[in-house]
Amino acid sequence: MTVNIRESDIAIIGMSSRFPGAKDVDEFWENLLQGVESISFLSNEELRQSAPNWLPNPNYVKASAVLPNIDLFDASFFGYSTLDAEIMDPQQRIFLECAWEALESAGYNPENYRGLIGVYAGSGMNTYLINNVHPNRGFCADRTFLTSASDLQIRLNNERDFLPTRASYKLNLKGSSVNIQTACSTALVAVHIACQSLLNGECDMALAGGIAVSVPQKVGYLYQEDMIWSNDGHCRAFDAEASGTVFGNGGGIVVLKLLEAAIADGDCIHAVIKGSAINNDGARKVGYTAPSVEGQAAVISEALASAQIDPSTVTYVETHGTATRLGDPIEITALTQAFRQSTEKNGFCAIGSVKTNIGHIAEAAGIAGLIKTVLALKHKTIPPSLHFSQPNPNIDFANSPFYVNTTLSEWKANGTPRRAGVSAFGMGGTNCHVVLEEAPQSSNNQESNERPLHILTLSAKTPKALNELVQRYEVYLKSHPDVSIADICFTANAGRKHFNRMALRKALTYTP
């Protein structure tokens, strides 16, 4: 199998996420493997406070993709007072935690990393300010939040503009820090812009992603025919019974680096971004919020051309897949047009939609699809797309390159590295497509066995946190007996920030 490494290739070397039903990337992957649908169906009691007048309405669907524990935040860890944490948008809190976790996943301590680390991200509408901060602080209805120092603090803790720069400040990241907002394509567009920044030399490493959390979370919605919301709380992407999606809450971040640099530095490479593209539909569609065949087909074609990848070698596409009657047929038509430029083969490329598992995470939808696809490449396994029985009658799958992957499937290679596409299309017409390839085999086979003993250094800011950290390491080591002790010790020693007040050092014997 020939692996072509280009100067423009971007390595994904770290990931973090919070999605419905999954507090981290590992739980997310396990849920995908098991075909878990993480949509919550709410009781009348849960809904009585937030939607008492809607409960009798027969079109009120009592479903939501809930992200647990959004009220929890280790304020002191990041140097915030309780008051600051209380007025801060949960999106800002969770993104900051994910940024920390993503860098730890990549094995880098920003305090001693000599290069520039950039941040590219966006968030959802801040309903926390509207529904929690504003009414509970006694603010008058016509407040501008520009008349006092306390007003400024509320703006800083809640305005979208400060999402990436907050992470840059708290984690001491000195690369470019840019807020991205393109509606449902926000997070994937952030990945594209981060790749361009790396290629342009504006940073040496980049965090890219997004977050979308609306409060209150435990609310349903009013179903309306031919709108975006599902009539029964399930997202049935590409199915004949599809009626829309369910909106949910979550977020994620990937850590990016030039592939050549990542290989040279011995990083753990999860997957490779071969190319990406963004565009806008313009006015050639039925309405501002409607999708466009021409726009989607163009952005997919541009991404494939950027990647220098033959579409016939792409064997999985993580679609936007909102399960709307208009959107699904348009998406398959656009994909088919893009692939038909170089292949007439049918039925060779699997498709899926993570929205069938966790709902539509709005501005963070693209990063959910990207992380899912990276994990699928890494594990050589395609998770099932849920709730598909019969195809939408307006989709001609038989005469297209695509089929909906409904079962847990081994991802087989056919003479080329495993390759995939990921799409995200935003209301307003900003489209993004990313082309991925599995990591080069050589990148994951770097071992150093010279030392008979290795020192594992663990530290935390409190005894409780340290004890929990030790327990997590013990569980991981017991459940992964084949893991490299040398790699774990090196990462813990060199790729983690150390805290002076509490540290544990434990000698481990390494058996080659």
Side-chain angles (χ1 to χ4, degrees), residues 111-146:
E111 295 294 344
N112 58 29
Y113 179 66
R114 294 181 180 179
L116 297 176
I117 303 176
V119 183
Y120 297 83
S123 59
M125 180 179 178
N126 185 356
T127 56
Y128 183 75
L129 176 63
I130 299 169
N131 295 326
N132 291 59
V133 176
H134 197 281
N136 292 315
R137 295 288 172 184
F139 298 137
C140 59
D142 58 356
R143 194 173 186 114
T144 64
F145 297 102
L146 282 172

Side-chain angles (χ1 to χ4, degrees), residues 11-56:
I12 298 174
I13 63 171
M15 298 184 289
S16 66
S17 69
R18 307 282 180 84
F19 295 123
K23 68 178 183 295
D24 56 30
V25 170
D26 290 338
E27 282 194 3
F28 180 49
W29 177 242
E30 187 61 31
N31 286 348
L32 292 173
L33 290 179
Q34 300 300 324
V36 173
E37 180 188 39
S38 298
I39 305 296
S40 298
F41 289 87
L42 309 169
S43 67
N44 286 347
E45 190 61 34
E46 289 176 298
L47 293 166
R48 207 170 301 282
Q49 183 176 357
S50 60
N53 298 327
W54 290 355
L55 287 177

Side-chain angles (χ1 to χ4, degrees), residues 226-504:
D226 294 328
M227 288 295 289
I228 196 170
W229 292 277
S230 164
N231 63 5
D232 62 358
H234 300 289
C235 180
R236 306 176 186 276
F238 309 109
D239 191 75
E241 299 298 319
S243 60
T245 191
V246 181
F247 278 84
N249 302 279
I253 296 174
V254 292
V255 183
L256 308 175
K257 198 177 191 182
L258 292 176
L259 177 59
E260 289 182 336
I263 292 173
D265 293 341
D267 294 323
C268 176
I269 300 170
H270 301 288
V272 177
I273 296 176
K274 299 293 288 186
S276 61
I278 57 175
N279 71 1
N280 191 275
D281 296 333
R284 296 184 61 188
K285 53 184 181 178
V286 298
Y288 176 67
T289 62
S292 162
V293 170
E294 291 80 6
Q296 292 181 17
V299 82
I300 295 164
S301 297
E302 290 164 14
L304 288 165
S306 169
Q308 298 181 6
I309 292 296
D310 185 334
S312 66
T313 66
V314 175
T315 49
Y316 178 73
V317 173
E318 175 62 25
T319 65
H320 192 59
T322 52
T324 58
R325 292 183 180 136
L326 176 66
D328 282 3
I330 283 178
E331 183 166 9
I332 298 304
T333 300
L335 274 166
T336 300
Q337 283 189 13
F339 274 56
R340 284 297 184 232
Q341 294 178 19
S342 64
T343 179
E344 293 298 321
K345 290 195 300 181
N346 292 326
F348 67 87
C349 184
I351 63 170
S353 172
V354 74
K355 294 175 181 64
T356 64
N357 300 92
I358 61 173
H360 185 12
I361 313 298
E363 287 79 3
I367 202 67
L370 183 74
I371 291 174
K372 170 190 171 181
T373 310
V374 169
L375 291 168
L377 284 166
K378 182 177 180 179
H379 295 284
K380 302 176 176 56
T381 302
I382 303 177
S385 197
L386 309 183
H387 310 309
F388 181 86
S389 298
Q390 296 292 327
N392 183 316
N394 294 316
I395 300 176
D396 186 8
F397 279 116
N399 293 305
S400 82
F402 308 103
Y403 66 94
V404 179
N405 186 74
T406 58
T407 60
L408 184 64
S409 306
E410 179 188 357
W411 193 341
K412 297 180 180 179
N414 296 314
T416 63
R418 295 167 182 84
R419 291 169 177 159
V422 182
S423 292
F425 309 128
M427 281 191 177
T430 296
N431 307 306
C432 184
H433 190 77
V434 173
V435 179
L436 296 173
E437 185 174 280
E438 64 182 325
Q441 290 297 316
S442 59
S443 67
N444 295 322
N445 294 321
Q446 299 180 10
E447 295 252 353
S448 176
N449 299 338
E450 305 91 8
R451 300 175 181 172
L453 293 175
H454 298 275
I455 302 299
L456 176 62
T457 304
L458 304 179
S459 65
K461 288 191 174 184
T462 67
K464 181 176 182 293
L466 180 64
N467 185 56
E468 291 174 352
L469 181 63
V470 171
Q471 290 178 0
R472 289 201 299 272
Y473 267 87
E474 288 178 347
V475 169
Y476 181 83
L477 289 168
K478 287 178 181 177
S479 60
H480 296 78
D482 297 328
V483 76
S484 168
I485 294 296
D487 286 348
I488 285 182
C489 290
F490 176 82
T491 300
N493 296 343
R496 297 285 185 270
K497 184 173 180 177
H498 298 298
F499 303 105
N500 295 329
R501 286 193 289 173
M502 187 64 63
L504 170 72

Side-chain angles (χ1 to χ4, degrees), residues 70-301:
I70 68 167
D71 56 326
L72 303 182
F73 178 61
D74 194 343
S76 61
F77 182 88
F78 291 103
Y80 285 110
S81 68
T82 301
L83 177 61
D84 281 336
E86 286 177 349
I87 66 174
M88 187 185 297
D89 182 5
Q91 296 179 113
Q92 303 262 353
R93 303 180 210 152
I94 296 167
F95 185 84
L96 186 56
E97 292 178 335
C98 284
W100 180 277
E101 292 166 3
L103 281 173
E104 287 209 331
S105 168
Y108 281 94
N109 174 6
E111 295 294 344
N112 58 29
Y113 179 66
R114 294 181 180 179
L116 297 176
I117 303 176
V119 183
Y120 297 83
S123 59
M125 180 179 178
N126 185 356
T127 56
Y128 183 75
L129 176 63
I130 299 169
N131 295 326
N132 291 59
V133 176
H134 197 281
N136 292 315
R137 295 288 172 184
F139 298 137
C140 59
D142 58 356
R143 194 173 186 114
T144 64
F145 297 102
L146 282 172
T147 57
S148 69
S150 61
D151 282 357
L152 179 59
Q153 286 303 310
I154 290 171
R155 273 186 173 257
L156 291 173
N157 283 308
N158 286 277
E159 185 60 54
R160 291 179 177 188
D161 295 355
F162 305 111
L163 179 81
T165 53
R166 180 182 307 282
S168 295
Y169 173 67
K170 284 296 181 180
L171 276 58
N172 194 30
L173 312 180
K174 299 174 182 177
S176 42
S177 192
V178 183
N179 186 55
I180 308 290
Q181 295 297 158
T182 62
C184 311
S185 58
T186 291
L188 201 62
V189 170
V191 172
H192 167 80
I193 300 298
C195 290
Q196 299 306 305
S197 182
L198 286 165
L199 293 172
N200 291 334
E202 296 168 346
C203 58
D204 303 289
M205 197 185 307
L207 277 64
I211 182 80
V213 178
S214 294
V215 293
Q217 290 196 93
K218 293 187 176 181
V219 294
Y221 56 88
L222 286 173
Y223 167 72
Q224 185 176 344
E225 190 172 358
D226 294 328
M227 288 295 289
I228 196 170
W229 292 277
S230 164
N231 63 5
D232 62 358
H234 300 289
C235 180
R236 306 176 186 276
F238 309 109
D239 191 75
E241 299 298 319
S243 60
T245 191
V246 181
F247 278 84
N249 302 279
I253 296 174
V254 292
V255 183
L256 308 175
K257 198 177 191 182
L258 292 176
L259 177 59
E260 289 182 336
I263 292 173
D265 293 341
D267 294 323
C268 176
I269 300 170
H270 301 288
V272 177
I273 296 176
K274 299 293 288 186
S276 61
I278 57 175
N279 71 1
N280 191 275
D281 296 333
R284 296 184 61 188
K285 53 184 181 178
V286 298
Y288 176 67
T289 62
S292 162
V293 170
E294 291 80 6
Q296 292 181 17
V299 82
I300 295 164
S301 297

